Amino acid sequence: MNGSTCTALVTGFDWYRGEGYTVYYPNPSSLVVERLDNRVIGNCRVQGRVLSVERNSVEELKSVLSTVKPHIVIGLGLHPGTKYPLLELAAVNLLRERGYERSYTKLDEAGSLAVAIPIDYSKLLDYLWSKGYSVYPSNTLGTYYCNAVAYTIYSYGLKSGACTVFYHIPPVSDLLIRLGRVEECAWSVNLLVKLVEDTIVFLESECKATCT
């Protein structure tokens, strides 16, 4: 990259109230973002952004992408039911709010119904597995805000040439204790931070042509 610094945007979500009035606090995706914000990893300076779990977050993300023009984007979202991080392979052009209202919103009126992850996911998985990470490919984004972020960053990657990925991550730390699932503590905030760090290192090598 000729000594230049690329920008890596890492996004996560603030706490939110799930179905059955479960409060997902603290949201581990925001904890990871806060630890990585303003770090330099390889030649990449990280900008962290914690998004609220509401519709305005999609427009906020689009504005950040347009302004910052990151070379690498890693989206993080909590998946309460998983024990391991999931690499999401595709997202759909639809946002559906919680509940059973007969309504939905297109994320991009001119966009395609679905977008695939715009990197060679098999190379990323092989790299992560070689480093001992239990990370698995997935198509569990649903149609809520994790899907909205993934669709937005994958579309951005396809248009700009940036390397973009979205991980669904498990509950860890204090949240896992509050959910009464301490026996599942295979992951921690520190290990999730390391996963994102190593992902940035891998993506930096894949995106050298765009990091100028």
Side-chain angles (χ1 to χ4, degrees), residues 48-149:
R49 187 62 61 102
V50 177
L51 304 170
S52 57
V53 184
E54 59 184 8
R55 189 167 299 193
N56 289 342
S57 63
V58 179
E59 296 308 314
E60 178 186 350
L61 176 58
K62 290 179 180 178
S63 177
V64 171
L65 293 172
S66 176
T67 303
V68 176
K69 296 180 173 58
H71 307 95
I72 293 169
V73 187
I74 300 175
L76 303 173
L78 173 65
H79 187 321
T82 188
K83 296 181 181 180
Y84 307 99
L86 304 173
L87 177 64
E88 296 293 353
L89 302 187
V92 297
N93 186 10
L94 190 148
L95 170 63
R96 186 172 180 275
E97 303 287 354
R98 70 185 68 192
Y100 297 96
E101 296 83 1
R102 297 177 181 177
S103 64
Y104 63 88
T105 302
K106 277 190 174 182
L107 296 164
D108 182 351
E109 285 295 334
S112 59
L113 174 61
V115 291
I117 186 172
I119 65 162
D120 187 336
Y121 67 87
S122 60
K123 288 178 65 176
L124 174 58
L125 286 171
D126 287 343
Y127 170 79
L128 295 175
W129 290 341
S130 75
K131 298 183 77 64
Y133 290 110
S134 298
V135 177
Y136 303 103
S138 176
N139 65 341
T140 56
L141 274 169
T143 56
Y144 199 41
Y145 286 107
C146 284
N147 171 73
V149 167

Side-chain angles (χ1 to χ4, degrees), residues 124-191:
L124 174 58
L125 286 171
D126 287 343
Y127 170 79
L128 295 175
W129 290 341
S130 75
K131 298 183 77 64
Y133 290 110
S134 298
V135 177
Y136 303 103
S138 176
N139 65 341
T140 56
L141 274 169
T143 56
Y144 199 41
Y145 286 107
C146 284
N147 171 73
V149 167
Y151 185 89
T152 301
I153 66 174
Y154 286 1
S155 297
Y156 169 79
L158 289 171
K159 292 175 182 177
S160 69
C163 288
T164 62
V165 302
F166 188 94
Y167 289 118
H168 253 144
I169 62 174
V172 297
S173 188
D174 291 351
L175 177 58
L176 201 61
I177 294 172
R178 291 183 67 249
L179 295 175
R181 291 160 52 186
V182 182
E183 71 282 357
E184 298 177 18
C185 58
W187 282 76
S188 65
V189 174
N190 288 340
L191 188 55

